[in-house]
Amino acid sequence: MKLTIGSVQFGLPYGISNVAGQVSLREVEKILHLARKRNIDMIDTAIAYGDSESVLGLAGVNDFKVITKLPILPNESADIIGWVEKHIEESLIRLNKSSIHGLLVHHAESLEGSDGKKLGFALNQIKNSGLVEKVGVSIYQPSVLDKIMENASIDIVQTPFNVVDTRIISSGWLDKLDEAGVEVHVRSIFMQGLLLMDRSSIPDKFNRWLSLWDHWHENLSTYDLDALSECISFVNSFSKVSRVVVGIESALQLQQVLDAIELSANPLDWSQMACHDDILINPSNWSKL
């Protein structure tokens, strides 16, 4: 499995199971040291991830492939190419790098319509300049790809994917992207840690999906499975997934993930876990619960 270090916690206290808050610079340095030892070569960040880019620049990431993401495109932007160039130049300064591996559109809707076509053109221009090697988009639901793929030449699509959210499979887009030679980078494989929580620790606001949590924990117990390893085994069983982005809060946590990868095997059949309720599978909606 090709693991990518997710760095949102380097700049923000992010995640429903995160009790430690934002990761310290010292801990980031320890995480990167371990990543180098284990031949992990990619880091995922974003302009919207608080201080993440600056922290990575201070820690030193010249030997890593870095992917960052643009903020939302302003309405009726007069100079979209200039807007993209400004943001990538500022990101390179914060990251202390002369170029980066990937630049993604963080809000896929920015690639819709006439401005979306202009943004797609701007991405290709910045790619041709040599400042970025690959361009792409981060999505929350595969259906948006129907509207945007013609507006940009995409190298990477980053999407949520886990035992509960399997839309990238059911929509047919995993196969389509693979056929088009587009890399699929998956994130949220633990649902921000929700799938790793003890059954008794799951917040009450998720009680409307009790049957899912009961099925998950009963099978983990019955077959003596570790939740971390099983989440990893599930996404790792799909060969068309190019990269797996995992948010890391400590070097110890990274070591646990690496150990789980080594232990991962063929997962159980988790088809009964699949859910299409957007309130659950899109964490941005959790505040409504």
Side-chain angles (χ1 to χ4, degrees), residues 9 20 26 39 55 60 105 123 126 135 160-162 190 193 201 207-208 225 238 243 245 257 261 278:
Q9 291 92 341
R26 176 59 182 147
N39 297 316
V55 169
V105 174
L123 291 176
I126 207 78
V135 297
F161 183 42
N162 53 65
F190 310 127
S201 300
N207 282 351
R208 71 171 77 174
L225 297 171
F238 293 88
R243 290 272 181 168
V245 182
V257 170
I261 291 172
D278 193 58

Side-chain angles (χ1 to χ4, degrees), residues 69-272:
K69 308 180 195 75
L70 293 166
I72 191 167
L73 181 69
N75 290 329
E76 300 179 356
S77 179
D79 182 11
I80 293 177
I81 292 178
W83 179 83
V84 172
E85 289 176 344
K86 173 180 179 291
H87 278 297
I88 190 62
E89 288 168 1
E90 291 175 349
S91 287
L92 290 173
I93 291 171
R94 287 190 290 267
L95 290 163
N96 195 24
K97 289 177 72 72
S98 59
S99 64
I100 57 172
H101 180 72
L103 179 66
L104 307 186
V105 174
H106 207 161
H107 300 267
E109 293 76 12
S110 295
L111 282 169
E112 295 182 18
S114 58
D115 278 355
K117 290 183 179 179
K118 294 176 184 177
L119 178 56
F121 178 78
L123 291 176
N124 286 331
Q125 290 290 96
I126 207 78
K127 179 180 173 180
N128 291 336
S129 75
L131 292 179
V132 302
E133 183 177 344
K134 298 182 178 183
V135 297
V137 62
S138 174
I139 65 172
Y140 288 93
Q141 60 277 330
S143 59
V144 74
L145 293 172
D146 296 319
K147 305 175 184 177
I148 67 175
M149 289 300 287
E150 292 184 358
N151 282 354
S153 179
I154 298 296
D155 302 306
I156 299 170
V157 168
Q158 188 186 106
T159 179
F161 183 42
N162 53 65
V163 295
V164 176
D165 184 359
T166 59
R167 290 172 297 171
I168 194 66
I169 301 291
S170 60
S171 66
W173 269 108
L174 183 62
D175 290 334
K176 293 177 188 177
L177 293 171
D178 180 69
E179 291 169 3
V182 177
E183 295 180 20
V184 176
H185 296 196
V186 302
R187 66 176 189 274
S188 301
I189 70 169
F190 310 127
M191 292 189 75
Q192 292 193 19
L194 191 60
L195 289 168
L196 304 181
M197 289 182 173
D198 292 334
R199 178 66 184 81
S200 59
S201 300
I202 296 175
D204 291 342
K205 66 181 182 179
F206 295 102
N207 282 351
R208 71 171 77 174
W209 301 284
L210 280 175
S211 61
L212 288 181
W213 316 134
D214 287 343
H215 180 74
W216 175 244
H217 286 279
E218 285 171 5
N219 278 276
L220 291 177
S221 177
T222 298
Y223 295 98
D224 193 25
L225 297 171
D226 173 69
L228 182 65
S229 294
E230 196 63 11
C231 286
I232 290 171
S233 295
F234 177 77
V235 297
N236 202 27
S237 67
F238 293 88
S239 61
K240 294 175 183 177
V241 169
S242 304
R243 290 272 181 168
V244 179
V245 182
V246 176
I248 299 297
E249 300 171 18
S250 68
L252 175 60
Q253 186 184 69
L254 176 56
Q255 184 60 60
Q256 291 170 339
V257 170
L258 290 168
D259 291 343
I261 291 172
E262 292 182 357
L263 293 172
S264 63
N266 293 326
L268 293 182
D269 178 3
W270 293 109
S271 55
Q272 292 185 49

